Amino acid sequence: MKRKSPRVRRAVQLFFLVLIVLIAVNHTLVTYGIEIPLLSSASIHALCPLGGVVSIYQTLTAGTLVKKIHESSFILMYIVFGLALLFGPVFCGWVCPFGTVQELIGKIGRRLFRKRFNRFIPAAVDKPLRYLRYAVLAWILYMTAVTGKLVFEEYDPYYALLNFWTSEVSIIGLVILAVVVVASLFVERPFCKYACPYGAVLGLTNFVRIFKIKRNVKSCTNCKACTRACPMNIDVANKSTVRDHQCISCYECTSERSCPVPATVAMQVGRPEVRIPTKPAAIVGEGGSR
């Protein structure tokens, strides 16, 4: 079976990574009287949908936004939520620049450690760690509501990555960024799995999304190719529908990418289409003409 190339997702990821980096650089250049033509000079806060999430309480109670948060953050939040309710956390798997950076570093780790890459942390430790990002989210929402300030800015490795050349980044943020970079050599998307507050929010949409990733149990050959392909270590091969809060909708597990049997792992509405796998052509042709 001919695989669909993952180049489309890679191209989309790189496009948004380059775009956001250029906008961040442009934001700094504007302070020196220089500007890159046709590019926005907005701050990273204006381009982050998490800003809308952390401002919800203050907007409802005081009618104002948290300091440094822009109205564009709310617009982006609505767009991302709308997409997530349809297709799951596609923002995480296709758009987020920090997720892309972690994946790029992970490619180096995969070459260094091969099959051990993304398998270093025992399942008994990994599973509870995955809920840590909900604690991070709760802390951010509480502290932002109490202080009215963007408290996560000081610790955010994504903000540090796109502003490390300025004096706005804290030492703590740079240290956390360094830890994530090193960890990405051993674990696929470590920040996304264990600490990202926005990933925690979007992950919940996997329970209610309209277009779900489904596995056709009757046509499945139990080769576990889908499980091996999942960057978030989800055991897709043992699920009829992927409702895991860690799914990032990268679609690496689907029949178009990894599964050898057509339409066995696919994005669908309702029940999966039932298809019984046919015998390979080489076997069918044994003892007779094809």
Side-chain angles (χ1 to χ4, degrees), residues 8-285:
V8 175
R9 187 170 83 93
R10 298 288 179 260
V12 172
Q13 287 180 295
L14 290 175
F15 169 78
F16 282 105
L17 174 60
V18 172
L19 177 64
I20 298 301
V21 168
L22 288 176
I23 291 176
V25 171
N26 199 35
H27 179 69
T28 301
L29 290 177
V30 168
T31 62
Y32 295 97
I34 307 171
E35 188 171 357
I36 302 175
L38 304 178
L39 270 183
S40 170
S41 60
S43 70
I44 292 303
H45 298 307
L47 303 173
C48 181
L50 177 62
V53 176
V54 299
S55 287
I56 289 177
Y57 177 80
Q58 185 161 320
T59 301
L60 292 176
T61 56
T64 60
L65 297 174
V66 171
K67 187 178 179 181
K68 293 188 178 183
I69 296 301
H70 301 255
E71 291 182 357
S72 58
S73 294
F74 269 91
I75 296 173
L76 290 173
M77 180 187 71
Y78 295 141
I79 294 173
V80 173
F81 276 170
L83 288 172
L85 289 173
L86 287 172
F87 308 107
V90 287
F91 175 83
C92 300
W94 291 70
V95 178
C96 178
F98 196 48
T100 301
V101 169
Q102 292 173 81
E103 281 192 22
L104 293 175
I105 298 171
K107 288 183 179 295
I108 300 174
R110 193 178 297 277
R111 290 194 175 189
L112 290 173
F113 304 110
R114 298 186 182 277
K115 291 184 179 181
R116 290 194 65 197
F117 175 73
N118 208 24
R119 297 291 187 273
F120 283 97
I121 301 178
V125 177
D126 175 72
K127 189 173 181 179
L129 272 181
R130 303 223 176 193
Y131 291 93
L132 178 62
R133 62 182 188 171
Y134 292 98
V136 174
L137 173 64
W139 175 77
I140 291 172
L141 292 177
Y142 173 76
M143 292 300 296
T144 305
V146 170
T147 65
K149 298 179 181 179
L150 196 59
V151 295
F152 191 52
E153 178 185 69
E154 185 176 355
Y155 308 93
D156 188 359
Y158 172 54
Y159 181 76
L161 174 68
L162 296 174
N163 289 276
F164 68 86
W165 57 83
T166 72
S167 59
E168 297 179 9
V169 180
S170 69
I171 297 298
I172 297 176
L174 290 173
V175 170
I176 294 175
L177 173 61
V179 170
V180 173
V181 168
V182 173
S184 296
L185 291 171
F186 302 90
V187 180
E188 187 87 67
R189 286 177 168 252
F191 184 74
C192 304
K193 285 178 180 173
Y194 306 123
C196 181
Y198 199 51
V201 174
L202 294 182
L204 297 176
T205 63
N206 282 309
F207 298 102
V208 296
R209 58 190 285 184
I210 295 174
F211 293 92
K212 299 177 174 61
I213 297 175
K214 293 176 176 289
R215 180 179 67 92
N216 189 332
V217 179
K218 292 188 177 182
S219 65
C220 179
T221 61
N222 200 33
C223 68
K224 300 188 183 300
C226 52
T227 294
R228 291 193 298 271
C230 180
M232 304 304 282
N233 302 97
I234 299 171
D235 189 9
V236 181
N238 286 310
K239 297 180 182 293
S240 57
T241 301
V242 178
R243 292 191 178 92
D244 197 292
H245 68 103
Q246 288 266 315
C247 177
I248 58 173
S249 292
C250 63
Y251 304 118
E252 294 295 328
C253 65
T254 62
S255 298
E256 294 180 334
R257 299 288 183 86
S258 302
C259 178
V261 184
T264 291
V265 181
M267 184 173 64
Q268 302 175 16
V269 178
R271 296 182 178 180
E273 181 183 356
V274 177
R275 287 191 184 182
I276 306 300
T278 57
K279 294 181 179 180
I283 296 176
V284 173

